[in-house]
């Protein structure tokens, strides 16, 4: 991974933070994003004194916002100098009895777990034809 430029979603907790740590350990430059702004700041502080260079960048962002995937990929290309890989780690779940699930709850799960990874992979393809995408969510957080 040395020298690779990777975008990681859902980076502020659990699996995402571990992925960022491993990528940095292996020499990658990482643009980490999460909807949790405070979590992004914690991530920056965690690695601030461990990195001698500017290999970690964070962007607090809601992946369901209109244009968010394009802005995020453009930010990665700008800050990292290109994009070699995408880890779609962001994910949510809604725990409730089936009768208590609303259509809005269902749409939110689909947007974050399915639509956002697709849009990110699609946005990453034109500027980085060699970019490899992991198009599935690997974590979920109840909200």
């Amino acid at each position: 991974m040395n020298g690779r430029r990777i975008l990681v979603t859902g980076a502020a907790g659990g699996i995402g933070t571990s992925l960022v740590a491993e990528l940095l350990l292996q020499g990658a430059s990482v643009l980490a994003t999460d909807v949790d702004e405070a979590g992004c700041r914690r991530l920056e502080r965690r690695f601030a004194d461990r990195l001698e260079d500017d290999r970690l960048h964070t962007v607090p962002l809601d992946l369901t916002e209109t244009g968010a995937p394009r802005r995020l990929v453009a930010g990665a290309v700008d800050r990292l100098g290109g994009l070699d890989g995408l880890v779609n780690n962001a994910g949510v779940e809604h725990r409730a009895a089936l009768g208590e699930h609303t259509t809005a709850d269902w749409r939110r799960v689909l947007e974050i777990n399915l639509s956002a990874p697709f849009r990110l992979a699609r946005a990453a393809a034109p500027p980085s034809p060699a970019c490899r995408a992991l198009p599935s969510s690997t974590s979920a957080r109840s909200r």
Side-chain angles (χ1 to χ4, degrees), residues 12-13 36-48 141:
D36 179 2
E37 187 171 346
C40 285
R41 287 193 304 270
R42 280 191 306 274
L43 192 62
E44 289 172 350
R45 285 192 305 271
R46 177 177 175 177
F47 296 105
R141 236 186 335 203

Side-chain angles (χ1 to χ4, degrees), residues 10-112:
I15 293 170
T17 299
S18 295
L19 287 166
V20 169
E22 186 61 28
L23 288 165
L24 292 170
L25 181 67
Q26 292 187 26
S29 294
V30 177
L31 181 77
T33 188
D34 200 288
V35 70
D36 179 2
E37 187 171 346
C40 285
R41 287 193 304 270
R42 280 191 306 274
L43 192 62
E44 289 172 350
R45 285 192 305 271
R46 177 177 175 177
F47 296 105
D49 38 343
R50 296 183 196 180
L51 296 175
E52 298 172 6
D53 50 14
D54 197 25
R55 291 188 297 122
L56 175 63
H57 303 269
T58 64
V59 176
L61 182 71
D62 181 346
L63 295 173
T64 65
E65 290 176 4
T66 302
R70 282 191 318 274
R71 289 193 316 272
L72 194 56
V73 168
V77 170
D78 182 54
R79 291 180 181 188
L80 304 177
L83 187 60
D84 300 306
L86 168 62
V87 179
N88 282 307
N89 179 64
V92 296
E93 63 183 349
H94 182 78
R95 292 185 186 180
L98 184 57
E100 296 172 12
H101 277 263
T102 66
T103 300
D105 296 331
W106 178 246
R107 285 186 180 136
R108 181 174 173 272
V109 169
L110 290 177
E111 271 300 308
I112 295 168

Side-chain angles (χ1 to χ4, degrees), residues 7 9 63 68-69 72-73 86 88 115-125:
L7 170 58
T9 68
L63 295 173
L72 194 56
V73 168
L86 168 62
N88 282 307
S115 298
F118 167 74
R119 290 182 186 121
L120 276 164
R122 185 176 59 188

Side-chain angles (χ1 to χ4, degrees), residues 1-14:
M1 295 306 291
N2 193 32
R4 301 278 185 183
R5 299 153 304 181
I6 310 295
L7 170 58
V8 179
T9 68

